[in-house]
Amino acid sequence: AYKRELSAARQRQDQQAPLVIDRLMESATALEFRKVRATGRFEQELQLFIENRKFQGRNGYHVVTPLKLNNSEVRVLVNRGWVPPARDPGLLPAVETPATTVQVSGVAHIPAPPALSLGEANARLDQPARWPYLTVERFAAGVDYPVQPFVILQSPQNEHGFVRVWPRHGPNDAMHIVVGLGSDSLVK
């Protein structure tokens, strides 16, 4: 019943109009998987490349770019999608980032840290910024402006992105239901 309610809540969120993000949101919990829209300018100088992301069996990067919201000092991180590695393994891929005001739509996502992390805990925002994983807290610790407590997984319909095939996370109630077993088929 719990999984069915979670699934129904997710379906209700899918039917809502996108929430316009124009100010700092206090909590992201209620926004997880909610459709959102934001307008602002990408800040390429603090763009991140998240390593070891797979697409169709190929290794590459997710490109995460801060978006400075219009008329605000608040930024929201936008995962613009997957890119293949550069031909030279010592270089990052060359990606285009528009210098004009853009409107980004997508789904709010709260990235979780890995279960186990080796190496330094503090984020470094020097360039090129190549990280093994992303959390909003890790990014926000390295900047002196407010950052939204979620990342926008940019919609595949938006311009200025890359390969965007986001997994659909959601509860699966069918995995907890056994169908067609009678009492005579139980192992004794």
Side-chain angles (χ1 to χ4, degrees), residues 22 68 130 182:
D22 57 2
K68 182 180 184 291
R130 185 175 171 158

Side-chain angles (χ1 to χ4, degrees), residues 19-187:
L19 178 66
V20 175
I21 305 300
D22 57 2
R23 59 182 162 63
L24 184 62
M25 308 304 281
E26 295 299 320
S27 170
T29 307
L31 295 177
E32 178 93 41
F33 306 120
R34 173 83 193 264
K35 288 187 278 187
V36 294
R37 187 174 63 232
T39 303
R41 287 182 177 256
F42 283 124
E43 295 182 323
Q44 183 174 4
E45 61 276 3
L46 291 181
Q47 187 160 265
L48 305 171
F49 289 83
I50 310 303
E51 302 174 304
N52 298 317
R53 302 301 158 194
K54 300 277 187 196
F55 176 69
Q56 296 182 344
R58 291 185 61 204
N59 210 11
Y61 300 91
H62 278 180
V63 179
V64 177
T65 311
L67 180 78
K68 182 180 184 291
L69 299 179
N70 278 353
N71 305 314
S72 175
E73 288 303 311
V74 176
R75 273 56 164 201
V76 61
L77 298 176
V78 179
N79 188 332
R80 298 171 58 208
W82 180 89
V83 295
R87 290 182 189 228
D88 181 341
L91 299 176
L92 287 170
V95 296
E96 290 188 29
T97 302
T100 59
T101 298
V102 296
Q103 186 174 82
V104 174
S105 62
V107 175
H109 171 66
I110 305 168
L116 177 64
S117 175
L118 302 175
E120 66 183 78
N122 295 331
R124 289 181 44 216
L125 291 173
D126 53 351
Q127 288 297 317
R130 185 175 171 158
W131 289 8
Y133 67 92
L134 171 70
T135 66
V136 175
E137 296 80 14
R138 186 172 188 224
F139 180 85
V143 296
D144 60 356
Y145 46 75
V147 180
Q148 294 290 4
F150 59 88
V151 173
I152 297 176
L153 299 179
Q154 189 178 15
S155 170
Q157 288 75 34
N158 276 180
E159 292 183 78
H160 315 300
F162 309 104
V163 177
R164 290 160 284 169
V165 180
W166 306 118
R168 175 109 170 121
H169 299 290
N172 179 2
D173 65 331
M175 67 186 283
H176 300 288
I177 298 173
V178 178
V179 179
L181 292 179
S183 61
D184 58 337
S185 59
L186 295 177
V187 178

